[in-house]
Amino acid sequence: MDRPLRLPQQDRADFETELGRALAAPQVVAALRDSGDEARGVERLRRTARDNAEYVLAAAAPEYERYALLRADADAEARLPVAAPAGERASGWWGVLGVIVPIVAVAAAVVFLLLGYVLGLAEDTEVLGHALLGAGWVAAGVAAVSLLVGGLGLLGAASRAKAAPEEVSGPGELVQARDAWRSALAERGLVPFLVAQANAGRRA
């Protein structure tokens, strides 16, 4: 019975895939042919490679360590809560200044101006009416300024977001590290090991 591979579950499939490719490599096929055991030799070499997986994997240890480290970092980053980018937060504040504040200020201006004109018609409340009129015009000015500043801020944030370079995708580096490990596993580990085992069978 084959011993289970001492690899994480997600790496065992890669090992088996590279083992299958290595068994079909020209060097291994030629060594089996020379040994005269081409019929049963493939399964024998497959079992031998699995039983000596630790030795084979050691040939690609540097590549695997880098791949495992990048994968652990990616997994840890994936578990972190996603925060909104600074550009999005800035756009949100400009949106508040350019939309919410003008709406509130315009509503206040309308109320103050209406009350001011109404109260200004009566002599007893004429002073209060003038005060409300002044407050209404101030609110209208605030609405105009906030609308202008907020609109300019939104335009600036949009132009900066469009001009900002895209960040390099992390998973691309992880895929490259995985491919490098699999190549090293096949070229430095599996193929030389299988050829040596086939030649040993021929000498026996």
Side-chain angles (χ1 to χ4, degrees):
M1 181 181 295
D2 296 336
R3 290 187 300 176
L5 296 177
R6 294 182 180 178
L7 277 175
Q9 185 66 37
Q10 58 202 77
D11 296 330
R12 296 179 187 177
D14 287 340
F15 181 90
E16 292 295 334
T17 299
E18 295 305 321
L19 176 56
R21 292 177 179 174
L23 287 168
Q27 308 96 301
V28 178
V29 173
L32 283 174
R33 187 184 305 115
D34 293 342
S35 69
D37 190 23
E38 192 172 358
R40 295 179 299 176
V42 171
E43 290 306 316
R44 178 177 62 83
L45 291 182
R46 190 188 304 274
R47 289 193 301 271
T48 304
R50 289 171 177 168
D51 290 342
N52 295 273
E54 289 82 2
Y55 171 79
V56 176
L57 290 167
E63 288 80 4
Y64 183 75
E65 289 176 1
R66 181 172 184 273
Y67 169 48
L69 180 61
L70 289 174
R71 185 172 60 194
D73 290 343
D75 291 343
E77 185 175 352
R79 288 192 293 268
L80 293 176
V82 179
E88 294 183 7
R89 293 196 297 269
S91 299
W93 284 111
W94 287 122
V96 171
L97 184 60
V99 178
I100 304 301
V101 173
I103 291 176
V104 175
V106 167
V110 171
V111 172
F112 289 154
L113 289 175
L114 287 176
L115 289 176
Y117 282 121
V118 171
L119 295 176
L121 296 177
E123 294 183 0
D124 296 340
T125 57
E126 184 177 359
V127 176
L128 179 59
H130 286 303
L132 289 175
L133 286 175
W137 288 116
V138 170
V142 170
V145 172
S146 60
L147 182 62
L148 176 62
V149 174
L152 293 176
L154 285 174
L155 291 177
S159 63
R160 286 194 298 271
K162 185 180 297 184
E166 294 184 359
E167 295 182 357
V168 179
S169 177
E173 187 178 5
L174 180 61
V175 171
Q176 292 176 359
R178 179 191 178 197
D179 291 341
W181 168 61
R182 292 179 58 166
S183 297
L185 175 63
E187 296 171 5
R188 297 203 309 265
L190 286 166
V191 171
F193 176 81
L194 295 174
V195 169
Q197 291 298 314
N199 290 333
R202 178 178 59 183
R203 289 194 297 268

